[in-house]
Amino acid sequence: MSITADATTDQSTAIRARGVRKSFGEGSARTEVLHGIDLAVAEGEFLAIMGHSGSGKSTLLYCLSGMDAVTDGTVHVGGQEITAMSQKDLAAARLTTMGFVFQQVHLLRNLTVLDNVVLPGVTATPRDRAAVVARARGLLERVGIGELADRDITEASGGQLQRAAIARALVNRPAVVFGDEPTGALNATAARGILDLLGEVNAEGRTVVVVTHDINVAARTRRVVVLRDGAVDGDLRRGADHDDASWLATLGGWLTGRGV
Amino acid sequence: MLWRMLRTDLRRTGAIGVVLAGLVAIAALLAALGGTALVQLTGSLDRLFTTARTPDIVQMHVGDIDADAIQDWSAGQPAVQDALVSTTVPIPVDRLVINGVPETGSVLQPALTVQNPEFDHLLGMDGQVLTVRSGEIALPVYYALQRDVEVGDPVTVRLDGATYDFRVAAFLRDSTMNPTFVTSKRLLVSPEDLAAVLPHAGEPEYLVEFLLTDTNRTREVAEAYADSGLPQNGMMIERSSFYLFNAISHGIVIAVLALLAGLLVVVAVIALRFSFLTSIERDLREIGVMKAIGLPRRTIRGLYLVKYAALVGVGGLVGLLASVPAARVLTAGLRQQLGAADRSVLQVLVPVLAAAAVVLLVIAMVALVLRRLDRITAMDALRAGTAVGPGRRRSPRLRLWRSTRLPPPVWLGLNAISRNLRAHGMLLTVLTLCTFIMVVPLNLHTTVTSPAFITYMGAGRSDLRLELRDQQVVAQAPALGRALATDPQVGRFTELVTIRQEVRNPAGEWESLNVENGDHTVFPVSYLEGRAPTTPDEMALSSLAASGLGVRVGDAVPLRGATGERRPTVSGIYQDVTNGGRTAKAVLPTAGEPVLWDTIVLDLAAGADPAVVGRRLAAQWPGVQAVDVQEFTRQSLGELVDQTRTLTGVAAAVALLLAFLITAMFATMVIARDTSQIAVQRALGISDTSLRTQYLTRFVVVLLAGVLLGTVLTATLGQYGVAAALGASLGAPAIRFDVDPLLAYGVFPLALVLAVVLATVLATRTFRRTTVTQLSEE
């Protein structure tokens, strides 16, 4: 059964995907990974995309963020159709309207922690460097690693680096923040810290979309979409009456029912 | 398994492997070319000298001569195998008309002569002894190569009272006077025609020639003749000098080819080392596995050695094969001028050995570098991050947040350099060498074509030179001087009279020396030490003459002439590449001394055209050869100029190709290593243009540093090393580069920049393939 995860109005939609298909390979080796996904994410929503390995969840995330081209279908982010943009415009859109947090952090090894945060900022607004630097410092303080600003990235722990990555994702004040298994490489304590931060980011009004296989991560969100074999298999929202424990329990049963 | 790994690795090496093989190919090509040219040059010279039966000693003489007395003397010399006296009839250039155009303005000193039956033969272009019939003339090959004269063209000799018409029947190779900077040229006519010309021509010049039984006794025979009192009013030249004169300009090319090949071997080794270290970094885990399962070090080393040996071997073979057609082009001028060499196995063996030497040298260097593999333990390799690869990461020194003006991509490029100085050092070294390779031949070319080069030819810088060679013409010198003093187109001038003297060398033997007398302060030459002579008790010597005599400034030199002996003090030492480099300048009284020639050196009034004034003076004073100084150096050094021009082109092409290949290789490897970093930046929204700017900044900044270092290297090593080595053999050990700043500091470096930019742009085309999906695989 195909489920359309689309229950929002266009006015308040941060992300809208229509009929998104993604294939890899050519000819007889061609494999379709996403089969015509329709998905709408409201502004300020905190969404988790879950599914088994190979379900296409990361691929969907990359298509929604414009980092991978779709084979068919359209994706709108902030009212702009990113699937119709040139590479140059898409890069500009990712720089200014989106932030991304990777599982492996992926900070640039030749830069200090602060410079990693500053880079997207000065790239987007080169004439406003002082303000960017000030904002970057503030973000590092906010994520709790202000003292590591001038350090080489090899001098920080995994959790600290992921915090820096979140600061980097926020430096241009994006409307949408994407995360691909943002806590996947962290221990439990560090992971909790990251999830707290993402929660704060969402509380500020930014749309946050994360891919995860971890129910504890999903439980921090307010909506969970499950993919199976490249199609939406389920869409569950946290109700107003759900507290943390009941949401976790409901989510757990629901996911079990879908074999996740 | 190992062969599968090798095949996979070779496939993976792809473009990098092509570049590495290409470097070795170019090095092997240049080495093989140098070897071929050397074999061709020595072979051609040997064949020319053998067929021509080049004399071992030639004594020039102007004046009365008793050929019988010379023959009698020769008969009494056991070292003399044969002797002859050859008559040459000098023709003033304005009286020689080729294709209807008088040779006025030519710096050559043509003379008619006949074929010598015994030895010192003039050869045709087929390498055989040449004969011409009455009405025919054979011109030196110079006229065919430098002047576009053809067989069948008309030649007229206009003398007082008679005109003689000839047709060019052939071109000849003269083993004693072939090179362009030897201005004396012999033109071959039939004995009947020479006999007809002789009564109407000026004073003949004689060549007293000797062929020896043992060339080791050349000096002995030369001294014996000098002491004999027999005719010797002129220069004496030995066979070794003829050989050197013929070999010089081509020898320069060979020397530079060898140098270029050597430099390219260095570059190839540097590039291979870098490629190998990058490979190790990439293959660290595989190496760790191989070591962990107990594969012998020899086997692991062998895998890499075979891979690189294969690349190097292919490159060497390609270079050797490419040298075959290239050698034909390179040696075409040499073969035309000197004739082809006899076929010999050396013509195949030497280039093969040269290319093989390049290949073996490079492989040996790689084998040395491969010993690094022994230092990696299995555990080191299996743990990621062992810093074996090129360049260790340092703590960042630069700070993006502090940079207020630099665009972020430029800053990132500079930061990348600062974070990996060692890797960029490889590129810097190569680009420095590229600059050196490009600019040294260029500077040499601009130096030999500079108007100031005349000062390395033992003459001062002036507008015009009037050469009076015939004795009857020399007698007009005083009248000519009075006329010049009132000529409104003539500025300052001075007369320099060259006489033949003898000087005693350290062994106590008297040897011939041409001494130029007059006021040497008017048009001074460049002195290595000291100054011009100003009194009859002083004398300046050329650099080669001074070193040959073992004297320095301040030493007294025993000198004797027709009017007696004296001991002038050496006042200065100057540079002179003409006349074998052994000349002198003095202020001696010339009355009673044998005058070889008279030269009036002059500057013109502002706005006067040297060519026009020269033609006028030559017309007004028949027999006087008026030479525009720039034209003089151009004609004298024609061959050298052509060779340095060719070298400049070849070197520039090699340097540009090298810069392009190395940058492309380096950029490809660096970008491959930076794949994840590039993907992250693209994911963040940094554009491909911005990414490309980062890499362009890196490589262009390294190039500019390389150009700067290369320029310094050119001005030091190039200037004093290369130029001095050439200058010392020519007689000007302190040649200074006369740099054309527009070319040396502008056009050529800009060409390098374009090569580097093009290579970087091509290498960065792979950005589009670098996507964030690669990040999720890591």
PDB file of all heavy atoms in Angstrom, chain B residues 118 367 489:
ATOM      1  N   GLU B 118      96.613  17.653 -53.572  1.00  0.00           N
ATOM      2  CA  GLU B 118      97.259  16.782 -52.586  1.00  0.00           C
ATOM      3  C   GLU B 118      96.389  16.563 -51.350  1.00  0.00           C
ATOM      4  O   GLU B 118      96.126  15.415 -50.959  1.00  0.00           O
ATOM      5  CB  GLU B 118      98.595  17.396 -52.136  1.00  0.00           C
ATOM      6  CG  GLU B 118      99.531  17.772 -53.290  1.00  0.00           C
ATOM      7  CD  GLU B 118      99.374  19.231 -53.743  1.00  0.00           C
ATOM      8  OE1 GLU B 118      98.303  19.839 -53.491  1.00  0.00           O
ATOM      9  OE2 GLU B 118     100.301  19.764 -54.361  1.00  0.00           O
ATOM     10  N   ALA B 367      63.558   2.279  -6.852  1.00  0.00           N
ATOM     11  CA  ALA B 367      63.872   1.152  -5.961  1.00  0.00           C
ATOM     12  C   ALA B 367      64.344   1.644  -4.599  1.00  0.00           C
ATOM     13  O   ALA B 367      64.020   1.064  -3.564  1.00  0.00           O
ATOM     14  CB  ALA B 367      64.937   0.267  -6.605  1.00  0.00           C
ATOM     15  N   GLN B 489      78.148  63.082 -41.487  1.00  0.00           N
ATOM     16  CA  GLN B 489      77.375  61.950 -40.979  1.00  0.00           C
ATOM     17  C   GLN B 489      78.178  61.076 -40.003  1.00  0.00           C
ATOM     18  O   GLN B 489      77.667  60.104 -39.455  1.00  0.00           O
ATOM     19  CB  GLN B 489      76.888  61.071 -42.138  1.00  0.00           C
ATOM     20  CG  GLN B 489      75.743  61.700 -42.912  1.00  0.00           C
ATOM     21  CD  GLN B 489      75.137  60.727 -43.886  1.00  0.00           C
ATOM     22  OE1 GLN B 489      75.837  60.160 -44.730  1.00  0.00           O
ATOM     23  NE2 GLN B 489      73.845  60.519 -43.799  1.00  0.00           N
TER      24      GLN B 489
END
